[in-house]
Amino acid sequence: MKKILALTFALASSHSFSECMGRGYFVGQEDPRYSLKHCIAARDYFSTIDTDGNDLREILRETDESDMAVLVTPLNEAAKSMLRGEDQEYWHYSGECSDLISGAPIEITESEAHCSDVGPTKYMLLGDFTIKEVKVVTD
């Protein structure tokens, strides 16, 4: 029987996080691998999204200049299972864009999960994960 990697989230009793609770990949099958295609300031990314002006103002208030948005493209089924159902999506990145090798296959070695239906929040528009550290995969 396959073991499913459980994503652990701190849940507040009054909030529902069911949309992303079931996401994950099968342990032992394969490690999720991605290609990071594009990295821009999160504020620049948010300005391209069609959202309510009040929501955008709230999101921009909590977005720091150091917040980045990186376009994540899955390279295998394990990586696809971590996305919200799109072929690719922008995720929050806490590092510098210059630290990334665009297009190289990577594994995310450190991340933080965000799972919230309470908004508006910058994470609502930047996937369910903050990428903190990656490593380039050569095999």
Side-chain angles (χ1 to χ4, degrees), residues 4 7 17-24:
I4 297 178
L7 300 176
F17 297 91
S18 60
E19 178 189 335
C20 55
M21 284 300 291
R23 258 190 242 116

Side-chain angles (χ1 to χ4, degrees), residues 34-38 75 101-105:
Y34 304 89
S35 176
L36 306 180
K37 300 287 188 184
H38 191 224
L75 296 178
I101 301 171
S102 182

Side-chain angles (χ1 to χ4, degrees), residues 99-129:
D99 295 341
L100 298 175
I101 301 171
S102 182
I106 60 103
E107 288 180 1
I108 299 170
T109 56
E110 185 180 350
S111 65
E112 177 183 343
H114 307 284
C115 213
S116 175
D117 64 353
V118 180
T121 173
K122 64 184 173 187
Y123 302 116
M124 176 179 73
L125 301 176
L126 282 175
D128 294 326
F129 301 93

Side-chain angles (χ1 to χ4, degrees), residues 69-88:
V70 64
L71 185 61
V72 175
T73 302
L75 296 178
N76 59 19
E77 289 302 315
K80 284 181 187 175
S81 74
M82 303 301 282
L83 273 61
R84 293 177 174 169
E86 304 293 326
D87 292 335
Q88 58 186 8

